[in-house]
Short mmCIF file of all heavy atoms in Angstrom, two decimals:
data_model
loop_
_atom_site.label_atom_id
_atom_site.label_comp_id
_atom_site.label_asym_id
_atom_site.label_seq_id
_atom_site.Cartn_x
_atom_site.Cartn_y
_atom_site.Cartn_z
N PRO B 35 23.31 -8.62 15.62
CA PRO B 35 22.70 -7.55 16.43
C PRO B 35 21.16 -7.94 16.54
O PRO B 35 20.52 -8.07 15.56
CB PRO B 35 22.89 -6.35 15.60
CG PRO B 35 23.14 -6.74 14.25
CD PRO B 35 23.75 -8.13 14.25
N MET B 36 20.75 -8.01 17.80
CA MET B 36 19.29 -8.16 18.12
C MET B 36 18.80 -6.97 18.62
O MET B 36 19.42 -6.24 19.48
CB MET B 36 19.18 -9.31 19.15
CG MET B 36 19.16 -10.74 18.63
SD MET B 36 17.85 -11.15 17.61
CE MET B 36 16.55 -11.42 18.87
N PRO B 37 17.62 -6.53 18.31
CA PRO B 37 16.90 -5.36 18.84
C PRO B 37 16.87 -5.60 20.35
O PRO B 37 16.64 -6.61 20.94
CB PRO B 37 15.44 -5.37 18.33
CG PRO B 37 15.60 -6.13 17.15
CD PRO B 37 16.67 -7.24 17.21
N ARG B 38 17.30 -4.42 21.04
CA ARG B 38 17.49 -4.62 22.55
C ARG B 38 16.27 -4.82 23.29
O ARG B 38 16.25 -5.09 24.53
CB ARG B 38 18.36 -3.41 22.98
CG ARG B 38 17.45 -2.16 22.85
CD ARG B 38 18.37 -0.88 23.17
NE ARG B 38 18.94 -0.86 24.49
CZ ARG B 38 19.92 -0.15 24.93
NH1 ARG B 38 20.67 0.70 24.07
NH2 ARG B 38 20.35 -0.18 26.10
N ASN B 39 15.04 -4.44 22.68
CA ASN B 39 13.84 -4.68 23.31
C ASN B 39 12.97 -5.87 23.10
O ASN B 39 11.78 -5.83 23.47
CB ASN B 39 12.96 -3.32 22.87
CG ASN B 39 12.62 -3.37 21.52
OD1 ASN B 39 13.51 -3.82 20.72
ND2 ASN B 39 11.67 -2.67 21.06
N VAL B 40 13.61 -6.91 22.51
CA VAL B 40 12.86 -8.01 22.25
C VAL B 40 12.33 -8.76 23.55
O VAL B 40 13.07 -8.78 24.62
CB VAL B 40 13.50 -9.16 21.39
CG1 VAL B 40 13.71 -8.70 19.99
CG2 VAL B 40 14.81 -9.66 22.10
N ASN B 41 11.03 -9.19 23.63
CA ASN B 41 10.62 -9.77 24.88
C ASN B 41 10.67 -11.39 24.80
O ASN B 41 11.17 -11.90 23.83
CB ASN B 41 9.23 -9.39 25.10
CG ASN B 41 8.29 -9.59 24.18
OD1 ASN B 41 8.38 -10.64 23.38
ND2 ASN B 41 7.25 -8.69 23.87
N TYR B 42 10.14 -12.06 25.75
CA TYR B 42 10.25 -13.48 25.81
C TYR B 42 9.48 -14.20 24.56
O TYR B 42 9.71 -15.31 24.41
CB TYR B 42 9.84 -14.07 27.23
CG TYR B 42 10.96 -14.07 28.22
CD1 TYR B 42 11.04 -13.27 29.24
CD2 TYR B 42 12.03 -14.98 27.86
CE1 TYR B 42 12.06 -13.41 30.11
CE2 TYR B 42 13.06 -15.03 28.72
CZ TYR B 42 13.14 -14.26 29.86
OH TYR B 42 14.25 -14.28 30.59
N LEU B 43 8.46 -13.44 24.10
CA LEU B 43 7.94 -14.16 22.99
C LEU B 43 8.84 -14.40 21.81
O LEU B 43 8.60 -15.37 20.96
CB LEU B 43 6.69 -13.19 22.38
CG LEU B 43 5.50 -13.26 23.32
CD1 LEU B 43 4.63 -12.09 22.92
CD2 LEU B 43 4.79 -14.44 23.44
N TRP B 44 10.05 -13.67 21.76
CA TRP B 44 10.98 -13.84 20.72
C TRP B 44 11.74 -15.16 21.02
O TRP B 44 12.56 -15.57 20.07
CB TRP B 44 11.82 -12.73 20.53
CG TRP B 44 11.32 -11.85 19.45
CD1 TRP B 44 11.86 -11.77 18.19
CD2 TRP B 44 10.29 -10.88 19.44
NE1 TRP B 44 11.15 -10.91 17.52
CE2 TRP B 44 10.11 -10.28 18.27
CE3 TRP B 44 9.43 -10.43 20.50
CZ2 TRP B 44 9.21 -9.43 17.88
CZ3 TRP B 44 8.53 -9.51 20.21
CH2 TRP B 44 8.37 -9.00 18.95
N ALA B 45 11.55 -15.91 22.02
CA ALA B 45 12.30 -17.11 22.38
C ALA B 45 11.73 -18.34 21.69
O ALA B 45 12.23 -19.41 21.68
CB ALA B 45 12.40 -17.25 23.84
N PHE B 46 10.38 -18.06 21.23
CA PHE B 46 9.64 -19.34 20.81
C PHE B 46 10.22 -19.90 19.44
O PHE B 46 10.04 -20.96 19.22
CB PHE B 46 8.21 -19.02 20.70
CG PHE B 46 7.62 -19.15 22.07
CD1 PHE B 46 7.55 -18.04 22.98
CD2 PHE B 46 7.21 -20.42 22.62
CE1 PHE B 46 7.08 -18.08 24.24
CE2 PHE B 46 6.67 -20.49 23.92
CZ PHE B 46 6.66 -19.36 24.70
N GLY B 47 10.92 -19.08 18.68
CA GLY B 47 11.61 -19.62 17.52
C GLY B 47 12.71 -20.51 17.89
O GLY B 47 12.80 -21.78 17.32
N ALA B 48 13.52 -20.11 18.91
CA ALA B 48 14.56 -21.03 19.49
C ALA B 48 13.96 -22.31 20.02
O ALA B 48 14.53 -23.43 19.83
CB ALA B 48 15.36 -20.22 20.45
N ILE B 49 12.82 -22.08 20.82
CA ILE B 49 12.24 -23.15 21.40
C ILE B 49 11.69 -24.21 20.34
O ILE B 49 11.99 -25.36 20.49
CB ILE B 49 11.00 -22.72 22.34
CG1 ILE B 49 11.57 -22.01 23.56
CG2 ILE B 49 10.12 -23.85 22.80
CD1 ILE B 49 10.55 -21.27 24.40
N ALA B 50 11.06 -23.77 19.34
CA ALA B 50 10.54 -24.57 18.15
C ALA B 50 11.66 -25.37 17.62
O ALA B 50 11.69 -26.47 17.41
CB ALA B 50 9.77 -23.82 17.22
N GLY B 51 12.95 -24.64 17.56
CA GLY B 51 14.08 -25.28 16.83
C GLY B 51 14.53 -26.36 17.83
O GLY B 51 14.87 -27.53 17.22
N ILE B 52 14.66 -26.16 19.08
CA ILE B 52 15.08 -27.20 20.02
C ILE B 52 14.05 -28.33 19.95
O ILE B 52 14.37 -29.59 19.91
CB ILE B 52 15.05 -26.65 21.50
CG1 ILE B 52 16.07 -25.52 21.59
CG2 ILE B 52 15.28 -27.80 22.47
CD1 ILE B 52 17.40 -26.04 21.76
N MET B 53 12.69 -28.07 19.82
CA MET B 53 11.76 -29.18 19.75
C MET B 53 12.01 -30.06 18.49
O MET B 53 11.89 -31.21 18.60
CB MET B 53 10.35 -28.54 19.75
CG MET B 53 9.83 -28.07 20.94
SD MET B 53 10.13 -29.16 22.48
CE MET B 53 9.27 -30.77 21.92
N LEU B 54 12.28 -29.43 17.38
CA LEU B 54 12.53 -30.13 16.20
C LEU B 54 13.78 -31.09 16.41
O LEU B 54 13.65 -32.32 15.97
CB LEU B 54 12.90 -29.19 14.97
CG LEU B 54 13.32 -29.99 13.70
CD1 LEU B 54 12.09 -30.75 13.16
CD2 LEU B 54 13.62 -28.85 12.64
N VAL B 55 14.89 -30.66 17.14
CA VAL B 55 15.98 -31.58 17.30
C VAL B 55 15.56 -32.67 18.27
O VAL B 55 15.92 -33.81 18.03
CB VAL B 55 17.13 -30.67 17.96
CG1 VAL B 55 18.18 -31.54 18.49
CG2 VAL B 55 17.68 -29.63 16.93
N ILE B 56 14.69 -32.38 19.26
CA ILE B 56 14.31 -33.44 20.18
C ILE B 56 13.45 -34.45 19.43
O ILE B 56 13.59 -35.66 19.66
CB ILE B 56 13.50 -32.82 21.39
CG1 ILE B 56 14.41 -31.96 22.29
CG2 ILE B 56 12.73 -33.90 22.14
CD1 ILE B 56 13.71 -31.25 23.36
N MET B 57 12.63 -34.04 18.54
CA MET B 57 11.73 -34.86 17.79
C MET B 57 12.49 -35.79 16.82
O MET B 57 12.31 -36.96 16.66
CB MET B 57 10.70 -34.13 16.97
CG MET B 57 9.74 -33.46 17.79
SD MET B 57 8.84 -34.39 18.93
CE MET B 57 7.63 -35.09 17.83
N ILE B 58 13.55 -35.27 16.25
CA ILE B 58 14.41 -36.05 15.29
C ILE B 58 15.13 -37.08 16.16
O ILE B 58 15.23 -38.19 15.71
CB ILE B 58 15.32 -35.09 14.53
CG1 ILE B 58 14.54 -34.34 13.40
CG2 ILE B 58 16.50 -35.97 13.71
CD1 ILE B 58 15.29 -33.39 12.56
N ALA B 59 15.69 -36.62 17.24
CA ALA B 59 16.59 -37.60 18.11
C ALA B 59 15.68 -38.68 18.59
O ALA B 59 15.95 -39.87 18.42
CB ALA B 59 17.26 -36.77 19.11
N THR B 60 14.51 -38.41 19.21
CA THR B 60 13.73 -39.51 19.82
C THR B 60 13.16 -40.30 18.59
O THR B 60 13.10 -41.57 18.70
CB THR B 60 12.54 -38.92 20.63
OG1 THR B 60 11.84 -37.96 19.86
CG2 THR B 60 13.00 -38.30 21.91
N GLY B 61 12.77 -39.62 17.54
CA GLY B 61 12.22 -40.36 16.36
C GLY B 61 13.16 -41.35 15.78
O GLY B 61 12.90 -42.55 15.43
N LEU B 62 14.43 -41.05 15.72
CA LEU B 62 15.44 -41.91 15.16
C LEU B 62 15.53 -43.13 15.92
O LEU B 62 15.50 -44.20 15.46
CB LEU B 62 16.78 -41.20 15.15
CG LEU B 62 17.96 -42.07 14.69
CD1 LEU B 62 17.86 -42.48 13.19
CD2 LEU B 62 19.30 -41.30 14.95
N PHE B 63 15.52 -43.03 17.31
CA PHE B 63 15.67 -44.24 18.17
C PHE B 63 14.43 -45.07 18.22
O PHE B 63 14.51 -46.23 18.41
CB PHE B 63 16.27 -43.78 19.45
CG PHE B 63 17.69 -43.48 19.50
CD1 PHE B 63 18.05 -42.21 19.17
CD2 PHE B 63 18.65 -44.39 19.68
CE1 PHE B 63 19.39 -41.80 19.20
CE2 PHE B 63 19.98 -44.07 19.71
CZ PHE B 63 20.41 -42.81 19.39
N LEU B 64 13.30 -44.38 18.10
CA LEU B 64 12.00 -45.11 17.98
C LEU B 64 11.94 -45.95 16.75
O LEU B 64 11.51 -47.05 16.73
CB LEU B 64 10.79 -44.24 18.12
CG LEU B 64 10.49 -43.52 19.42
CD1 LEU B 64 9.42 -42.50 19.34
CD2 LEU B 64 10.02 -44.59 20.43
N ALA B 65 12.44 -45.34 15.63
CA ALA B 65 12.39 -46.03 14.32
C ALA B 65 13.32 -47.26 14.32
O ALA B 65 13.03 -48.33 13.67
CB ALA B 65 12.98 -45.16 13.21
N MET B 66 14.31 -47.38 15.33
CA MET B 66 15.10 -48.56 15.37
C MET B 66 14.23 -49.70 16.03
O MET B 66 14.67 -50.85 15.88
CB MET B 66 16.20 -48.28 16.25
CG MET B 66 17.19 -47.22 15.55
SD MET B 66 18.65 -46.98 16.72
CE MET B 66 19.37 -45.61 15.92
N GLN B 67 13.07 -49.41 16.59
CA GLN B 67 12.40 -50.51 17.27
C GLN B 67 10.97 -50.68 16.66
O GLN B 67 10.33 -51.63 17.09
CB GLN B 67 12.16 -50.01 18.82
CG GLN B 67 13.28 -49.65 19.55
CD GLN B 67 14.20 -50.87 19.96
OE1 GLN B 67 13.77 -52.02 19.78
NE2 GLN B 67 15.34 -50.59 20.42
N TYR B 68 10.68 -49.78 15.68
CA TYR B 68 9.30 -49.88 15.25
C TYR B 68 9.19 -50.76 13.88
O TYR B 68 10.15 -50.84 13.16
CB TYR B 68 8.86 -48.36 14.90
CG TYR B 68 7.58 -48.30 14.22
CD1 TYR B 68 6.35 -48.54 14.77
CD2 TYR B 68 7.57 -48.10 12.81
CE1 TYR B 68 5.13 -48.33 14.10
CE2 TYR B 68 6.38 -48.03 12.08
CZ TYR B 68 5.15 -48.11 12.75
OH TYR B 68 4.03 -48.04 12.04
N SER B 69 8.07 -51.36 13.73
CA SER B 69 7.86 -52.17 12.50
C SER B 69 6.59 -51.55 11.80
O SER B 69 5.57 -51.47 12.26
CB SER B 69 7.50 -53.54 12.85
OG SER B 69 8.51 -54.21 13.60
N SER B 70 6.96 -51.25 10.54
CA SER B 70 5.85 -50.57 9.73
C SER B 70 5.04 -51.51 8.99
O SER B 70 4.79 -51.31 7.76
CB SER B 70 6.38 -49.43 8.83
OG SER B 70 7.20 -50.11 7.88
N HIS B 71 4.53 -52.63 9.52
CA HIS B 71 3.57 -53.45 8.91
C HIS B 71 2.34 -53.54 9.78
O HIS B 71 2.34 -53.56 10.91
CB HIS B 71 4.27 -54.83 8.82
CG HIS B 71 3.50 -55.85 7.92
ND1 HIS B 71 2.35 -56.36 8.29
CD2 HIS B 71 3.63 -56.17 6.62
CE1 HIS B 71 1.87 -57.08 7.36
NE2 HIS B 71 2.65 -56.98 6.26
N THR B 72 1.24 -53.58 9.06
CA THR B 72 -0.09 -53.47 9.81
C THR B 72 -0.23 -54.53 10.79
O THR B 72 -0.90 -54.43 11.88
CB THR B 72 -1.27 -53.62 8.70
OG1 THR B 72 -0.99 -54.71 7.95
CG2 THR B 72 -1.44 -52.43 7.93
N SER B 73 0.40 -55.67 10.53
CA SER B 73 0.23 -56.81 11.53
C SER B 73 1.25 -56.73 12.63
O SER B 73 1.05 -57.42 13.72
CB SER B 73 0.38 -58.15 10.86
OG SER B 73 1.65 -58.31 10.31
N LEU B 74 2.20 -55.90 12.53
CA LEU B 74 3.17 -55.68 13.66
C LEU B 74 3.26 -54.31 14.37
O LEU B 74 3.72 -54.28 15.39
CB LEU B 74 4.67 -55.97 12.96
CG LEU B 74 4.82 -57.38 12.31
CD1 LEU B 74 6.12 -57.37 11.61
CD2 LEU B 74 4.82 -58.46 13.30
N ALA B 75 2.76 -53.34 13.63
CA ALA B 75 2.91 -51.89 14.15
C ALA B 75 2.42 -51.71 15.43
O ALA B 75 3.17 -51.22 16.35
CB ALA B 75 2.32 -50.93 13.12
N PHE B 76 1.19 -52.11 15.71
CA PHE B 76 0.61 -51.82 17.00
C PHE B 76 1.42 -52.44 18.17
O PHE B 76 1.79 -52.00 19.23
CB PHE B 76 -0.88 -52.26 17.04
CG PHE B 76 -1.70 -51.88 18.30
CD1 PHE B 76 -2.24 -50.66 18.34
CD2 PHE B 76 -1.64 -52.72 19.49
CE1 PHE B 76 -2.94 -50.31 19.48
CE2 PHE B 76 -2.35 -52.40 20.56
CZ PHE B 76 -2.94 -51.12 20.63
#
Side-chain angles (χ1 to χ4, degrees):
Chain B
M36 278 291 282
R38 64 192 299 164
N39 59 334
V40 294
N41 58 33
Y42 271 113
L43 289 172
W44 264 262
F46 281 89
I49 290 171
I52 297 279
M53 286 315 304
L54 178 61
V55 172
I56 291 175
M57 294 304 281
I58 289 178
T60 51
L62 173 67
F63 285 87
L64 286 170
M66 295 178 189
Q67 307 285 350
Y68 171 78
S69 305
S70 64
H71 190 281
T72 49
S73 61
L74 303 171
F76 189 89

